[in-house]
Amino acid sequence: MKVFINPGHAANGEPDPGAVHNFFNFRECDIALSIGKLVKRFLLRAGCYVEMLQSHNLNGEVTGYGKSVVESANDWGADVFVSIHCNAFNTTARGVETLVYDMTGGGKTLGDCIQKQLVETVQKIDPEFPDRGLKSRPLLCVLRATEMPAVLVECGFIDNDTDALILMNFQKDIAAAIARGVTDYWQRIS
Ligand SMILES: [Zn+2]
C-alpha cells in the first residue's frame, strides 16, 4: 500500500504556520510534521510505501513552493492520502475529528478507521477527550482534488491548554493510532 502523508501548513511555518497556542508558543505546522514523521515510521514498519510532503502549495494556487501536495500524491499513485492538522477555535473547544470529502466510498471508510483508533487512543490518555466524529468537507482541495481515498485528521485543538499538552506529549500514541487506522482500512478493503 502506498500512503501519502501531508503534515498541514507550510514547512518551517513560512508563510503559514497554521494555528498556534499563543502562550505555549506551539505551532500547528511543527506538531503536524512531528506526528507525520512518526506515522511514516510506523507505516514503513508495517510494510507500506510512504511519501510525505508538507508544503504551502496545496493544489497549485501559489508559486515558488515546488510541486503541489495534490499533484504529488496523484502523480505518485498513492492508495491513501492522510493530511494531519490541529484545530483551533475559542480556546475551550476540544476533541478529535476526521474530515472526508463525503459520506460514501473509500474516503469515508478510511475516515471511520482512523477516527475509531484515534478516539480510543486519546480517551485512554484523557477519558474526557471529545469524539467530534467524521465530517464532510467537500470544498477542501486536498479532499476534493486527490484521486485516492483521502482524509484530513484534526488531532485536537491547539488553542486549548489540555488538548495542546496532549498534542505535544503524546505524539507517538496519536501517530500510532493514525497508522493503525490506515492499516485497518487496508485490511477492510482487501
Ligand atoms: Zn490546519
Side-chain angles (χ1 to χ4, degrees):
M1 172 174 47
K2 294 165 81 173
V3 184
F4 195 96
I5 300 171
N6 165 234
H9 304 280
N12 306 314
E14 280 300 320
D16 165 31
V20 294
H21 188 294
N22 287 322
F23 181 70
F24 296 157
N25 286 323
F26 298 160
R27 303 191 303 174
E28 183 183 355
C29 60
D30 301 322
I31 290 175
L33 180 61
S34 54
I35 292 175
K37 283 179 178 168
L38 291 164
V39 175
K40 178 175 177 177
R41 197 187 301 169
F42 285 122
L43 287 174
L44 288 172
R45 216 179 281 166
C48 301
Y49 298 96
V50 182
E51 283 283 326
M52 186 164 81
L53 178 61
Q54 183 176 41
S55 172
H56 188 54
N57 181 4
L58 291 180
N59 194 25
E61 64 287 339
V62 291
T63 54
Y65 294 92
K67 203 169 164 179
S68 79
V69 169
V70 167
E71 194 186 358
S72 302
N74 288 345
D75 285 357
W76 186 51
D79 296 302
V80 165
F81 178 95
V82 181
S83 191
I84 298 170
H85 287 250
C86 313
N87 257 321
F89 184 50
N90 59 0
T91 75
T92 57
R94 298 191 56 199
V96 59
E97 67 190 18
T98 301
L99 311 182
V100 295
Y101 178 74
D102 63 13
M103 294 301 183
T104 60
K108 157 110 172 39
T109 307
L110 175 64
D112 281 334
C113 291
I114 291 177
Q115 180 71 12
K116 182 169 180 287
Q117 287 287 355
L118 261 178
V119 167
E120 248 170 58
T121 292
V122 293
Q123 290 186 347
K124 253 180 237 161
I125 297 164
D126 173 5
E128 308 281 297
F129 210 116
D131 172 6
R132 303 173 69 91
L134 216 59
K135 291 181 180 165
S136 169
R137 290 285 182 276
L139 297 180
L140 290 180
C141 71
V142 293
L143 303 179
R144 187 189 68 239
T146 41
E147 291 161 357
M148 66 295 304
V151 296
L152 189 154
V153 185
E154 298 276 15
C155 303
F157 282 71
I158 194 174
D159 65 340
N160 172 269
D161 293 355
T162 310
D163 276 20
L165 290 172
I166 290 171
L167 286 166
M168 283 305 279
N169 296 324
F170 293 91
Q171 292 178 354
K172 223 181 226 179
D173 306 74
I174 292 168
I178 294 171
R180 277 198 304 273
V182 171
T183 53
D184 286 352
Y185 163 77
W186 200 247
Q187 273 174 349
R188 204 190 280 188
I189 64 155
S190 50

